[in-house]
Amino acid sequence: MDYLPLFARLNGQPCLVVGGGEVANRKVQLLLEAGARVVVNAHDLVPALARLATAGRIRHVPGPFNPAYAGEAVLVIAATDSHEVNAAVAAAARTSGRFCNVVDDAEHSSAILPAVVDRSPVIVAVSSGGLAPVLARRLRQYLEALLPARLGRLALWAGRWREPLKKAIPGIERRRRTWESLLGGEAAAAVLGGDETRADTLAAAAADGPGPAGHAWLVGAGPGDPGLISVRGLQALREADVVLHDRLVAPELLQAVRREALLIDVGKAGHGGSTAQADINEQLVAQVRAGRRVCRLKGGDPLIFGRGGEEALALARAGLSFEVVPGITAASGCAAAAGIPLTHRGLSSAVTFVTASAAPGQRQPDWSRHASAGATLVVYMGGAQAAAIAAALVAAGRDPATPAAVIVDGTRPTARQHLTNLAELAAAGMDHDGRRPALLIVGETVALAAELVPTAEEPFTLAAVPRARGEWPESAPAPGAR
């Protein structure tokens, strides 16, 4: 971090702006909005600055820059069109121990004036460290459109209730959950809608009540790319007190968790330690019952081969509050990234999802039921049995020339895919080792991948897939655990 974000109270404080042009004028206006006492040092002033000087809102010091001026200000801004003068201003500020912003010159600046979204008393500042000011302004414009116009009123309302709630609710943790409930729910909506009386009623009820109850979100994180999580899912992740996450969840998503939140890895691994589903259910219920907000972060979609239904039943039978937040399932995400439509007019009018991983006591899928033409078949966790599944489909009557694809690490930077057909896949007589997420797609639409993603990376071949379980080529990225 090259710059520490810092909000400074400049009300009544002396600030120096060196330069009298339009750029200097913009900086002066910003300082005046913050209540600063502004001194402008310049030979001449543009009309806007001249009017401010005449009105007594700024003090004009004509003539060349004098290094002594820097020592009289808490903040110095160099806004001339002379590189030499700006450098001299920066040097004088540095000698005097004053922060200095040199316009369009990050190298000489010890302070950056950010792009500002003003919802006073809420202030949002965006900076690129002086490297890309246009980008910072674009981000500000985005935030301007996103943030409610009455956000400042909400902050003032919250400030009015801060002490009453502090006195009424013992314990920092309970107060924090109460505030998050108020600011994330009906009370905040009432203030933003102009009905502070209703918000006051809700705040008073929260002060007298037992405190917020626990809640769980069963969130689908998508197939791997962290950008494929839903907005609602990301919101739940950021609000959670506890996050129970799978091992294949993108590390970037876990960085979005609050610093105070508890992270618990409950992943399952085909070639290593795993957390039993019964233990996951038990932890989930215990955390919610304790009054915490829990995000159960799962790869793909919770209710598509994710055992989210079992976790939802555990919460429902315990009488606890929960919400299922859908995610992009692996079939959709991986197929899209590989350029494989799951349905396509004239090629496939149906799609079937099936898992090659049967529960204990259950038989393997009856592949004869999935051998019909005109439908796309997606086999989850099918990489380790790809050759055997291909042989079973051919034996059940599926055309051996039917296109097929094995996709490993779909949507991730390490993604690889092998495009082939059932005959070649069955004849290969070798399997993906199963330690990395793999998807098998069978159907005529697979043939479209070469046209839809012609610039894809060089696909891996079956020869690159380990012949023995537990082996992985040294040139391949390190495997992940499920």
Side-chain angles (χ1 to χ4, degrees):
M1 186 165 61
D2 294 329
Y3 292 89
L4 175 69
L6 180 67
F7 290 90
R9 183 185 293 275
L10 295 180
N11 188 37
Q13 297 298 314
C15 294
L16 172 68
V17 176
V18 181
E22 288 297 341
V23 174
N25 178 48
R26 290 197 294 270
K27 304 303 180 184
V28 167
Q29 297 292 343
L30 191 62
L31 292 172
L32 290 177
E33 289 179 16
R37 292 191 291 113
V38 181
V39 174
V40 177
N41 173 217
H43 290 286
D44 301 301
L45 302 178
V46 294
L49 288 176
R51 287 193 294 272
L52 289 174
T54 300
R57 297 192 59 196
I58 65 173
R59 181 164 67 92
H60 178 210
V61 178
F65 171 70
N66 185 330
Y69 297 160
E72 300 173 359
V74 297
L75 174 66
V76 178
I77 297 177
T80 77
D81 55 6
S82 168
H83 177 77
E84 291 75 16
V85 173
N86 288 345
V89 173
R94 188 164 51 250
T95 300
S96 300
R98 300 294 189 259
F99 282 116
C100 180
N101 170 244
V102 182
V103 177
D104 291 334
D105 188 347
E107 181 182 352
H108 287 94
S109 295
S110 59
I112 296 291
L113 296 186
V116 174
V117 179
D118 189 358
R119 298 286 191 274
S120 293
V122 176
I123 302 294
V124 180
V126 181
S127 173
S128 64
L131 297 178
V134 174
L135 175 60
R137 287 197 293 272
R138 286 182 64 85
L139 289 173
R140 180 199 65 194
Q141 291 166 0
Y142 172 78
L143 293 171
E144 284 276 11
L146 186 66
L147 297 176
R150 290 180 57 87
L151 188 61
R153 290 300 310 169
L154 180 59
L156 292 172
W157 175 85
R160 182 159 54 84
W161 274 96
R162 184 175 181 182
E163 283 303 317
L165 289 179
K166 185 176 181 179
K167 293 178 180 178
I169 301 176
I172 294 176
E173 181 65 20
R174 182 182 160 192
R175 278 201 304 275
R176 181 181 61 78
R177 294 203 307 269
T178 298
W179 271 117
E180 289 176 345
S181 177
L182 289 171
L183 295 177
E186 188 180 350
V191 175
L192 295 175
D195 188 358
E196 293 192 22
T197 300
R198 171 61 178 161
D200 289 341
T201 301
L202 293 169
D208 296 333
H215 181 77
W217 296 277
L218 306 181
V219 176
D225 182 341
L228 294 180
I229 192 173
S230 69
V231 173
R232 180 73 186 108
L234 188 59
Q235 180 184 22
L237 182 63
R238 288 171 171 165
E239 291 181 9
D241 304 310
V242 180
V243 177
L244 304 176
H245 63 91
D246 289 346
R247 288 178 182 163
L248 279 184
V249 167
E252 295 90 338
L253 287 180
L254 299 182
Q255 293 175 4
V257 177
R258 291 188 303 108
R259 293 182 180 179
E260 302 84 3
L262 176 64
L263 283 172
I264 304 176
D265 185 341
V266 293
K268 297 179 174 64
H271 296 270
S274 297
T275 305
Q277 187 61 49
D279 292 338
I280 296 175
N281 295 350
E282 184 178 338
Q283 288 192 62
L284 189 57
V285 168
Q287 294 287 355
V288 177
R289 188 171 278 156
R292 300 184 181 95
R293 295 167 305 163
V294 183
C295 177
R296 173 67 175 105
L297 191 62
K298 308 169 71 68
D301 180 277
L303 302 185
I304 299 181
F305 304 127
R307 306 187 73 171
E310 298 173 44
E311 295 168 0
L313 281 172
L315 291 163
R317 289 168 179 170
L320 299 173
S321 172
F322 70 92
E323 173 189 353
V324 177
V325 182
I328 295 177
T329 189
S332 297
C334 298
I340 301 174
L342 294 179
T343 62
H344 191 82
R345 189 167 63 172
L347 294 179
S348 174
S349 59
V351 59
T352 300
F353 296 167
V354 62
T355 176
S357 177
Q362 288 185 340
R363 294 190 302 175
Q364 288 293 321
D366 181 0
W367 297 110
S368 65
R369 297 177 56 190
H370 307 296
S372 60
T376 303
L377 175 65
V378 182
V379 184
Y380 285 67
M381 293 166 274
Q385 305 175 52
I389 293 170
L393 289 170
V394 171
R398 194 78 185 246
D399 184 350
T402 302
V406 178
I407 303 174
V408 178
D409 280 352
T411 76
R412 294 171 171 82
T414 54
R416 299 188 301 162
Q417 65 189 49
H418 175 62
L419 303 178
T420 180
N421 59 45
L422 288 179
E424 292 180 357
L425 188 57
M430 61 184 73
D431 300 326
H432 168 62
D433 76 341
R435 291 183 295 170
R436 299 168 70 185
L439 201 70
L440 171 62
I441 304 179
V442 178
E444 300 299 332
T445 60
V446 173
L448 298 176
E451 295 183 69
L452 294 177
V453 190
T455 58
E457 294 181 5
E458 185 69 21
F460 73 92
T461 64
L462 285 176
V465 179
R467 295 178 179 271
R469 297 288 174 84
E471 298 178 2
W472 196 258
E474 292 184 1
S475 60
R482 286 195 68 257

